[in-house]
Amino acid sequence: MKHCIECGTKLVEKELDHEGLVPFCPTCDTFRFPIFNTAVSTVIMNKERSKILFIQQYGRPGYILTAGYVNKGETAEETLIREVKEEIGVNVTDFVYNKSFYWERSNTLIFNYISVVDSEDLSGTNHEIDVATWFPVDEAAANVKPDSLAEKFLTAALPKIKSNCI
Ligand SMILES: [Zn+2]
């Protein structure tokens, strides 16, 4: 961000207590912190914690995780529950935080949760989902899209799942 998002003035760097140099708009007399998108992604598990749900979306091959952007005014936990309901058609009953990654291509900070849903029924999936499939926990790593963000989140989640974090 080189210019103020409100008035377009060229930003300068200014010392802010405990933060170091922060972009500052001399016209608005306000610090302008970096702006980025926020999204939630989730490793969905069945009630018995024996299977993990992957999806395929937008006509692209490879199994990935369910995810969506956080709406303004919404908490990450609210996004998690809303997205799973909207995309898969099932209800989140439990969840635990897993890990976050910053995805430069879409300027998005993504928070990943491990969640448990109340049903394995996939008949209510959204039309944006091409394929939704349950995999046994032990087969998840071999089936997730290689080198994807989903793989990074799954790799972080599996040891937690195996130590009964949820
Ligand atoms: Zn300004």
Side-chain angles (χ1 to χ4, degrees):
M1 188 167 54
K2 293 193 173 70
H3 296 87
C4 176
I5 52 151
E6 293 296 333
C7 74
T9 300
K10 198 171 190 311
L11 298 174
V12 297
E13 301 237 286
K14 193 177 167 182
E15 187 79 25
L16 178 61
D17 291 347
H18 313 297
E19 296 283 350
L21 289 173
V22 173
F24 179 82
C25 176
T27 305
C28 298
D29 193 28
T30 302
F31 286 100
R32 295 295 184 202
F33 285 91
I35 292 174
F36 47 88
N37 304 305
T38 313
V40 165
S41 148
T42 181
V43 176
I44 298 177
M45 304 193 75
N46 64 339
K47 229 185 292 183
E48 291 74 26
R49 281 81 165 151
S50 61
K51 296 179 199 167
I52 290 174
L53 182 70
F54 289 147
I55 61 165
Q56 292 184 20
Q57 214 171 5
Y58 310 124
R60 294 189 196 125
Y63 284 109
I64 56 167
L65 299 173
T66 302
Y69 282 97
V70 177
N71 290 333
K72 187 163 182 173
E74 199 175 43
T75 66
E77 292 79 9
E78 286 166 347
T79 305
L80 168 70
I81 292 163
R82 177 179 57 75
E83 282 290 336
V84 171
K85 184 72 181 173
E86 282 177 9
E87 295 199 13
I88 313 298
V90 295
N91 300 299
V92 171
T93 56
D94 294 285
F95 59 82
V96 63
Y97 177 71
N98 179 32
K99 192 172 179 58
S100 67
F101 274 107
Y102 172 69
W103 188 245
E104 191 158 18
R105 207 184 300 165
S106 62
N107 186 31
T108 304
L109 178 64
I110 307 171
F111 297 97
N112 183 265
Y113 289 82
I114 302 165
S115 59
V116 171
V117 294
D118 64 349
S119 169
E120 289 182 41
D121 179 13
L122 300 175
S123 61
T125 54
N126 188 289
H127 64 276
E128 290 171 18
I129 312 278
D130 302 324
V131 182
T133 311
W134 289 104
F135 287 93
V137 170
D138 289 342
E139 293 173 24
N143 285 285
V144 72
K145 186 178 183 180
D147 303 319
S148 65
L149 213 51
E151 184 185 47
K152 290 187 205 301
F153 285 134
L154 183 73
T155 301
L158 283 174
K160 296 174 189 172
I161 290 169
K162 283 170 184 162
S163 62
N164 302 314
C165 72
I166 187 161

